[in-house]
Amino acid sequence: MERQHPLDRHRNIGIMAHIDAGKTTTTERILFYTGVSHRIGEVHDGATVMDWMEQERERGITITSAATTCFWHDHRINIIDTPGHVDFTVEVERSLRVLDGAVAVFCGVGGVEPQTETVWRQANKYRVPRIAFVNKMDRQGADFDRVCGEIAARLGSRVLPLQFPYFVDELFEGVIDVVKRVLVTYDTETMGLKFHSGPVPDHLRGQVEQARDHLLETVADTDDAIMEKYVLGEPISETEVISAIRNATHRFQLVPVLCGSAFKNKGVQQLLDAAVAFLPSPLDVPSTEGLNPDTEHATTREVSDDAPFSALVFKSMNDPYAGQLSFFRVYSGKLLSGDPIFNASKGITERVGRLLKMHADKREPIDAVFAGDIAAAVGLRSTFTGDTICVRSHPIVFESMDFPEPVISVAIEPRSRSDQDRLAQSLGRLVREDPTIRVRTDQDTGQTLISGMGELHLEILVDRLRREFGVEGRVGTPEVSYRETITRPANAETRYVKQTGGKGQYGHVALEIRPLEPRSGFRFVDRISGGVIPKEYIPAVQRGVAEAMDRGIHFGFTMIDVEVALVDGSYHEVDSSEMAFKVAGSLAFQEAAKKAGPILLEPVMDVEVVTPEDFVGEVVGDISRRRGKIKGMIPQAGAHVVRAQVPLGTMFGYATDLRSLTQGRAHYSMQFSEYARCPAECEKKVLEGIGSH
């Protein structure tokens, strides 16, 4: 089988933004204008194609990333619409991992918001070139120039405005294209399907020429050929300008910026043109690097249909009809339906039952996938998010993904004995689907605890258990996921000796521990010399330490930011075993940690409140009562933005309190910032809570 569309005409792009910036509305217009949909679905009506989950349509937000394919000017565009709510940031993370380019959507009024900064950093992490679309230009208070300035100042990117908005009597009517120097207006009767390019009005020609000079000057800084022509005053063609912008975008030197109003059906076709013109094809990104699991040597995969097949599974999803769907991005080679594949991450072989092209929740069977494609497979039972699949003869493991730790937990109990087994099975399937969910059993109470990224995340999880799996459960009040750490170095030495009549158990270790910088995690250092502990027992010591850290020392919460050095010990030729050294490592760590000044850490959140000026005092006072620290206040389009850092434990129910304080006129967003030391009174309350259980 041969591919139907040339690889240089592929675009794999994501739509990313802060919540309520208009990502899904923009994607719906893209599907309409490319002919995939014959009607426009609106988020507020719960009728969109991409927000297909019941929970998404009820709440008017995107919860899970949805993939679709469309065509524009002979280009195949694979699109992933990602969530904007910080609780579902994992969906953005794993989507950006496999995409070649992205469209960042900004609200023309709100500008750069907290989650915008988060997704921008994620795109930087995975080296994803992007263009920006300033949406909602029809809204009162929208300011294109201000948003461009915020992108430059807060996101550290050099912006290149390719358009600016055109207003008639303060109503947004179209865009002025700076590259082509034309005015584009839209036909309201055809819902923007028809648009007209015409001359720029006389009173705006000076502004257009000034904007074009700025554009050429900015582009010249990134392209020597353009610079030479610009300095000599020679004419520069439109083709040359577009090519230079494309190259600079791929090198992360520029971020082209467009504007429009997706809801009012203005500017989306030009956004599609820009995605095709400036975002990379799979051929424009570097060859993908990985590790050969057999030789442990670095290796690469060329983006070619003739190369050995390799792909990364970036998402698993439970489908009520097809079973487990494994979404994957093909980096090299081709795969036919029914072919065996090798999961190089786990060292197992599986067989692809069916290959599917996804359109949100709808599936289209396909016979083959090729380099650069994004598709889904049915039948991969043991392959999950982050696994590399390839051919056995040419194994490779791509870099996987890092996911944030959950910060909030709830206890859930089945309502009946018959629900007990179904609850465990259902939670297992949801954990495989979402790597940010954690499930554990409290050893003291026997309760099942589920942990996630926020209150909404857990609310959706419980709702899915009820609707999709038919599991009814009693849910406790949310609890903060605290952490522990140490404040000073300490050491301990432990001998684990056990005689049982036959072969005994013997493990002897000496550990030194010290605190690390925040966000350092757990570091294990092997300082054994002279073979006083055989090498095969050292990993067992590390496992014992890791398990002790998971259980915590003083408060019962996981310990973080600790370095543990194994410095000495001894062994017995007959009685020593991995189990003995694992127990010795665990006991030694517990003893050392108790001497190292253990303290409790609480999650602290970055909070941003947008409130009318009349209520700034009430909002600031309320944040202070919650032990929050005000980081700044910025005036914005008739309102004030209050930025603060607030402990998560004081933020439960904040949405209701904020509505009461501001007569329902303020809104806020919140995302995890860091773990910080709990005050003494907080530690006392937590200990009292543990004692009451």
Side-chain angles (χ1 to χ4, degrees), residues 477-510:
T477 56
E479 297 180 359
V480 176
S481 293
Y482 293 98
R483 295 288 185 267
E484 295 182 44
T485 192
I486 57 176
T487 55
R488 57 179 180 266
N491 58 71
E493 185 174 352
T494 297
R495 293 176 192 270
Y496 176 67
V497 183
K498 193 173 184 181
Q499 294 296 332
T500 57
K503 180 182 176 182
Q505 295 286 348
Y506 181 91
H508 170 213
V509 300

Side-chain angles (χ1 to χ4, degrees), residues 64-322:
T64 183
S65 55
T68 190
T69 301
C70 61
F71 295 88
W72 185 253
H73 298 336
D74 294 326
H75 285 72
R76 173 177 170 154
I77 306 177
N78 295 318
I79 300 174
I80 297 182
D81 177 32
T82 64
H85 197 287
V86 67
D87 283 15
F88 309 104
T89 189
V90 61
E91 294 288 340
V92 185
E93 181 88 12
R94 56 186 176 188
S95 298
L96 289 173
R97 172 65 179 82
V98 298
L99 292 170
D100 301 321
V103 176
V105 181
F106 296 82
C107 172
V109 179
V112 176
E113 299 178 87
Q115 184 64 3
T116 316
E117 297 182 45
T118 301
V119 298
W120 202 266
R121 285 194 298 269
Q122 289 171 310
N124 288 339
K125 174 182 176 181
Y126 293 116
R127 303 286 292 168
V128 178
R130 69 219 74 154
I131 60 178
F133 179 61
V134 181
N135 192 26
K136 302 189 178 183
M137 290 308 302
D138 60 302
R139 294 263 303 272
Q140 186 175 359
D143 189 331
F144 180 71
D145 292 337
R146 176 177 56 79
V147 177
C148 288
E150 288 184 5
I151 296 172
R154 293 180 59 180
L155 304 179
S157 298
R158 190 174 188 185
V159 298
L160 182 67
L162 304 183
Q163 303 171 341
F164 60 85
Y166 173 65
F167 295 95
V168 177
D169 296 330
E170 299 187 353
L171 294 177
F172 177 62
E173 294 292 341
V175 299
I176 292 179
D177 189 320
V178 176
V179 177
K180 298 179 179 180
R181 288 180 280 196
V182 296
L183 167 64
V184 182
T185 55
Y186 300 85
D187 184 356
T188 56
E189 292 184 1
T190 62
M191 303 184 76
L193 266 175
K194 293 182 180 179
F195 58 91
H196 313 280
S197 296
V200 175
D202 292 342
H203 69 284
L204 292 175
R205 285 182 181 173
Q207 185 179 347
V208 171
E209 291 306 319
Q210 184 179 356
R212 183 173 171 82
D213 283 344
H214 175 263
L215 182 146
L216 292 176
E217 183 180 335
T218 305
V219 172
D221 284 345
T222 69
D223 188 286
D224 292 340
I226 299 285
M227 174 64 82
E228 185 176 348
K229 286 192 171 186
Y230 182 73
V231 171
L232 296 175
E234 297 178 4
I236 303 171
S237 70
E238 182 183 313
T239 303
E240 289 175 305
V241 171
I242 291 174
S243 176
I245 295 173
R246 176 180 174 83
N247 292 333
T249 303
H250 294 183
R251 296 193 299 264
F252 307 97
Q253 294 172 304
L254 296 174
V255 175
V257 186
L258 299 93
C259 63
S261 170
F263 184 62
K264 296 292 186 180
N265 310 309
K266 294 178 172 68
V268 177
Q269 292 98 324
Q270 284 65 43
L271 176 63
L272 280 165
D273 290 340
V276 166
F278 305 127
L279 293 179
S281 75
L283 293 173
D284 296 320
V285 298
S287 297
T288 308
E289 298 181 353
L291 194 72
N292 186 320
D294 294 339
T295 64
E296 296 190 354
H297 291 157
T299 185
T300 60
R301 282 290 185 271
E302 181 186 353
V303 183
S304 167
D305 295 343
D306 298 324
F309 171 75
S310 66
L312 181 71
V313 176
F314 65 94
K315 178 176 178 176
S316 298
M317 189 180 82
N318 293 301
D319 186 281
Y321 306 105

Side-chain angles (χ1 to χ4, degrees), residues 392-412:
R392 182 66 186 91
S393 56
H394 294 82
I396 188 172
V397 176
F398 296 130
E399 181 183 1
S400 192
M401 292 163 269
D402 297 322
F403 299 114
E405 289 294 316
V407 296
I408 187 172
S409 305
V410 294
I412 183 168

Side-chain angles (χ1 to χ4, degrees), residues 674-687:
E674 61 185 354
Y675 276 98
R677 183 169 186 172
C678 273
E681 62 271 18
C682 176
E683 281 194 2
K684 184 178 179 182
K685 288 181 181 178
V686 173
L687 279 173

